[in-house]
Structures are given as structure tokens and as C-alpha cells.
Amino acid sequence: MRNTVLDNHKTIAWDIDETLINGPNSRFFRDYIRNNPEKAHFLVTFRTPRAWAEEALEQLRAHGLDPALIAGVSSVPVDLFSAFANRHEEPSHPLLDDFDHWKGMEAARLGCTILVDDMEASVIRGCQRHSVTFIHSHHECFTVEKLVA
């Protein structure tokens, strides 16, 4: 299985919800991981605490994806997520900026050169700051390629 965007990357960071699970292109992404085991595939998620993030491996198994194909799971620190969850009560919380940069920073730390995610507003600045390519998980390039794959 080929994809003009993903094929250029050896190490890929994947969001979970609305990307690998319950998104319009989730099946395509799971098939891509399954058919490209030579690549390093990491889950980088806003799910927290870590135990909830790791539940995604079993959810992916239920969708036919072997968790052994996932190189690792990274979960946002609880304090960053708390700042995000309470952003309406504390819109100037100093950790909100860290939250917006976390996925891009974590993807770069893992050696990922691309992040596939549905929450552009919460990840794009971190991807730009850490030189990680961002692609929206609902992007039509995946839908079109599903039809010809």
C-alpha cells in the first residue's frame, strides 16, 4: 500500500481518536501501518493518564491491527491536559502554550518527521516549531488514494 504523503517518512506519529479510530480515514491508516511494518509507527495522544492511552493498543487490536506494529505510545502529561481542559476558566494559563506545542515536540523527540492528527489548532504550532510535517487525518489525499489502492 502506497501513499504519496506518508511514503516519504520512515517514522510516523499517529493520533488515536478521529485518526486511527473513528475517523473517516481510519481504516486506510490502519491498513497503511499493517502494510508498512518497516516504518516506525508511534501513537502520540492527548489521552491521559497513560493507562487510558495504552488502552488504544487493545482498541486497535479489535480493529485488526497488531499492537506489535506500534513502536511506542506517548501520552500528554496530566498537568498540560488539565490546563487545556480548564482553558475557559483560565485562558491565560502558562501551560496552554506548552500544550499546543507538546505533540510536535514529542513527535520530534521520537524521531518522527510527520504527525497525522485531526486537531490542527492544537498541534500545528508545535509541529512548525519542531520541524515536523503536519497532515490532517481527514485530508482528502487519503480518501482519494483509498479509492485507487
Side-chain angles (χ1 to χ4, degrees):
M1 169 175 276
R2 310 296 344 141
N3 177 271
T4 56
V5 175
L6 299 173
D7 288 350
N8 295 317
H9 302 273
K10 294 179 181 177
T11 307
I12 302 171
W14 299 94
D15 174 50
I16 299 170
D17 301 298
E18 291 298 316
T19 299
L20 291 178
I21 299 171
N22 295 327
N25 297 313
S26 294
R27 179 175 290 159
F28 175 82
F29 295 140
R30 292 188 306 263
D31 287 345
Y32 187 86
I33 291 169
R34 194 177 302 108
N35 289 300
N36 291 277
E38 75 285 356
K39 294 180 182 280
H41 301 279
F42 288 91
L43 303 183
V44 178
T45 180
F46 288 141
R47 286 186 180 195
T48 195
R50 184 165 176 77
W52 185 37
E54 290 177 345
E55 283 179 21
L57 295 172
E58 289 308 312
Q59 290 174 310
L60 291 171
R61 183 190 306 278
H63 286 283
L65 184 65
D66 182 356
L69 294 171
I70 303 299
V73 179
S74 290
S75 177
V76 69
V78 174
D79 59 339
L80 295 186
F81 186 79
S82 293
F84 174 75
N86 296 312
R87 68 192 177 281
H88 299 295
E89 290 81 28
E90 264 189 276
S92 59
H93 194 291
L95 291 180
L96 284 174
D97 193 51
D98 293 343
F99 178 85
D100 284 346
H101 289 97
W102 181 79
K103 277 197 179 183
M105 180 186 73
E106 184 64 8
R109 185 188 72 77
L110 294 167
C112 300
T113 55
I114 189 169
L115 170 65
V116 184
D117 199 299
D118 67 302
M119 292 181 62
E120 182 172 2
S122 295
V123 303
I124 191 68
R125 292 187 315 139
C127 287
Q128 291 170 339
R129 177 180 284 175
H130 297 281
S131 301
V132 172
T133 300
F134 168 79
I135 186 78
H136 199 290
S137 62
H138 299 186
H139 194 282
E140 65 186 22
C141 73
F142 301 117
T143 305
V144 171
E145 294 200 25
K146 276 196 304 194
L147 299 175
V148 295

